[in-house]
């Protein structure tokens, strides 16, 4: 029985890999609690998880998972909610909360020894997705709910290099 469960999990992971999906992103069977981005003096919803690139590095994975366990809530599978900020086009991690409701604050110095909040996100390169306007369709899957528009922030090593607004759902146009 145990072997069947392991085989089933491996098969599911292989299918997701072939489909190009990540368990921590689009493949979630429940809508996910978003991150928070403070930008231009306003709190915004963030449909991206910049901390995942830091966690994926082998030297960071075990430390992170010992502090922030994963998968205890279906709507917060990553096990944390982060608050980010952009100041002078620099992306920084301001706050990290763990637990099912994302209520217990984690000391950033436990993950980034010798550094206090905010921690510059030099490890992150990619696209940040900020939904804008009203939700026009709720989708009970990852970050697939549809909004009137999206602000896309293109980031290279923690520096925002370009901003654009689109009405095309970002998950359909990688």
């Amino acid at each position: 029985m145990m072997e069947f469960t392991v085989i089933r999990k491996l098969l599911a992971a292989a299918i997701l890999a072939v489909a190009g999906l990540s368990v921590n992103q689009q493949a979630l069977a429940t809508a996910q609690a978003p991150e928070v981005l403070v930008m231009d003096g306003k709190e915004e919803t963030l449909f991206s998880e910049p901390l995942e690139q830091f966690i994926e590095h082998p030297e960071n994975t075990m430390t992170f998972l010992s502090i922030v366990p994963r998968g205890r809530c279906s709507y917060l599978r990553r096990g944390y909610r982060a608050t980010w900020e952009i100041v002078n086009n620099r992306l920084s991690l301001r706050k990290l909360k763990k637990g099912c409701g994302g209520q217990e604050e984690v000391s950033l110095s436990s993950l980034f020894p010798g550094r206090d909040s905010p921690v510059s996100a030099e490890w992150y390169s990619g696209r940040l997705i900020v939904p804008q306007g009203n939700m026009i369709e709720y989708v009970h899957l990852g970050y697939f709910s549809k909004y009137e528009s999206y602000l896309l922030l293109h980031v290279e090593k923690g520096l925002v290099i370009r901003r654009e607004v689109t009405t095309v759902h970002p998950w359909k146009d990688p």
Side-chain angles (χ1 to χ4, degrees), residues 63-126:
T63 301
F64 186 85
L65 293 177
S66 70
I67 296 168
V68 181
R70 298 259 189 171
R72 302 218 172 157
C73 297
S74 62
Y75 68 92
L76 194 59
R77 292 220 188 242
R78 63 190 180 278
Y80 67 86
R81 285 189 81 180
T83 299
W84 301 88
E85 68 181 358
I86 294 177
V87 175
N88 297 326
N89 287 324
R90 279 256 161 234
L91 176 67
S92 296
L93 176 59
R94 181 195 278 184
K95 189 185 317 179
L96 185 66
K97 292 186 174 186
K98 69 178 182 176
C100 193
Q103 298 141 340
E104 186 182 341
E105 192 151 350
V106 173
S107 166
L108 294 183
S109 62
S110 65
L111 295 171
F112 304 94
R115 295 166 76 183
D116 289 320
S117 177
V119 174
S120 181
E122 296 127 6
W123 68 83
Y124 184 74
S125 291

Side-chain angles (χ1 to χ4, degrees), residues 12-153:
I15 291 169
L16 291 173
V18 169
L21 298 175
S22 163
V23 172
N24 289 327
Q25 293 178 358
Q26 296 103 323
L28 300 170
T30 302
Q32 292 298 289
E35 304 273 90
V36 175
L37 176 64
V38 178
M39 180 176 63
D40 302 328
K42 284 179 37 181
E43 272 195 14
E44 303 280 357
T45 298
L46 181 61
F47 278 8
S48 305
E49 300 167 2
L51 194 54
E52 291 301 307
Q53 284 185 13
F54 173 81
I55 298 166
E56 287 172 0
H57 287 279
E59 66 271 12
N60 302 329
T61 304
M62 293 309 292
T63 301
F64 186 85
L65 293 177
S66 70
I67 296 168
V68 181
R70 298 259 189 171
R72 302 218 172 157
C73 297
S74 62
Y75 68 92
L76 194 59
R77 292 220 188 242
R78 63 190 180 278
Y80 67 86
R81 285 189 81 180
T83 299
W84 301 88
E85 68 181 358
I86 294 177
V87 175
N88 297 326
N89 287 324
R90 279 256 161 234
L91 176 67
S92 296
L93 176 59
R94 181 195 278 184
K95 189 185 317 179
L96 185 66
K97 292 186 174 186
K98 69 178 182 176
C100 193
Q103 298 141 340
E104 186 182 341
E105 192 151 350
V106 173
S107 166
L108 294 183
S109 62
S110 65
L111 295 171
F112 304 94
R115 295 166 76 183
D116 289 320
S117 177
V119 174
S120 181
E122 296 127 6
W123 68 83
Y124 184 74
S125 291
R127 184 174 65 172
L128 299 177
I129 300 169
V130 181
Q132 306 274 280
N134 295 316
M135 181 189 302
I136 55 176
E137 180 185 350
Y138 174 76
V139 178
H140 196 67
L141 180 69
Y143 298 123
F144 277 100
S145 291
K146 296 177 184 165
Y147 285 77
E148 292 176 323
S149 64
Y150 303 87
L151 172 62
L152 305 179
L153 303 169

